[in-house]
Amino acid sequence: MRVSKQKAGEHRDAILAAASRLFRARGFDKVGVAEVTQAAGLTHGGFYGHFASKEALAAEVCDLSFGNAVRRVQASAGLEDYIDLYVSADHRDREGPCPMVALGTDVSRLSGPVRAQFAEGVARYVAAIRAHMAPEDPLAEGRAAALVSILVGGMNLARAVAASDPALSEQILAGVRVQARAVIRPG
């Protein structure tokens, strides 16, 4: 039975949303196509009408996830506000955190298209952070990259120890907030 273009678009969006949620929660390798389509409320057979492969889906999930992350940066009033949102217990405990925290280690083991899309997403994210910095700051590019590294690395560590040592996790988050603010203050 054929579906309308609108319905096909809705199915594709549902697959992307389900895959994004599942991949960020458990990683690319731990989620299968059948599980993604089931989570989207669709049958497994229709998947390949929308995506050539699971890898193609993963690349599009990277694009979608980074698009959402960049919009959150752009919507923030400033970097200090964004730091507070990002380096929070809520973000740490979320099942599907930002794509860099959720998928960074997986991407290094995947093929070219996913890696390329992830790298492009990181570049867009760093540029969104940079846009919040003083345009005349000659070190702003490096500051933006350093800030992203501090945020992502700190969040990874805080998540890794949260269950076994909540106090250490909170200490990491507090330290990251302090160091992140130091990076964004020129001079």
Side-chain angles (χ1 to χ4, degrees):
M1 180 168 110
R2 294 190 47 87
V3 298
S4 69
K5 286 186 179 189
Q6 178 183 348
K7 195 54 129 174
E10 290 170 7
H11 290 173
R12 189 175 200 291
D13 290 347
I15 291 169
L16 277 167
S20 177
R21 186 178 63 256
L22 290 168
F23 288 162
R24 286 182 298 121
R26 297 203 322 262
F28 294 120
D29 293 341
K30 301 227 180 347
V31 177
V33 169
E35 185 177 4
V36 169
T37 55
Q38 181 180 17
L42 302 168
T43 62
H44 179 248
F47 174 84
Y48 293 100
H50 298 285
F51 301 95
S53 64
K54 180 181 167 186
E55 181 179 279
L57 172 63
E60 287 200 42
V61 163
C62 282
D63 184 52
L64 173 71
S65 297
F66 275 104
N68 293 334
V70 166
R71 280 188 288 282
R72 283 189 293 277
V73 173
Q74 292 168 336
S76 66
L79 287 178
E80 293 206 14
D81 290 338
Y82 185 72
I83 289 166
D84 289 340
L85 285 171
Y86 191 96
V87 187
S88 65
D90 178 56
H91 185 222
R92 177 198 61 205
D93 299 339
R94 192 175 312 145
E95 183 180 30
C98 94
M100 292 172 288
V101 171
L103 304 172
T105 56
D106 280 1
V107 168
S108 66
R109 293 186 293 270
L110 296 177
S111 67
V114 180
R115 283 183 177 187
Q117 192 61 53
F118 190 88
E120 194 273 329
V122 171
R124 287 183 4 221
Y125 188 85
V126 170
I129 293 286
R130 168 62 179 95
H132 278 286
M133 296 179 168
E136 67 279 357
D137 180 1
L139 302 176
E141 293 293 330
R143 288 182 201 281
L147 177 58
V148 170
S149 299
I150 290 168
L151 295 176
V152 173
M155 188 56 66
N156 270 321
L157 288 176
R159 286 173 59 87
V161 302
S164 59
D165 193 341
L168 177 58
S169 181
E170 290 297 327
Q171 181 182 2
I172 291 168
L173 293 177
V176 167
R177 282 190 292 273
V178 169
Q179 293 306 312
R181 280 184 171 77
V183 166
I184 63 173
R185 293 189 183 113

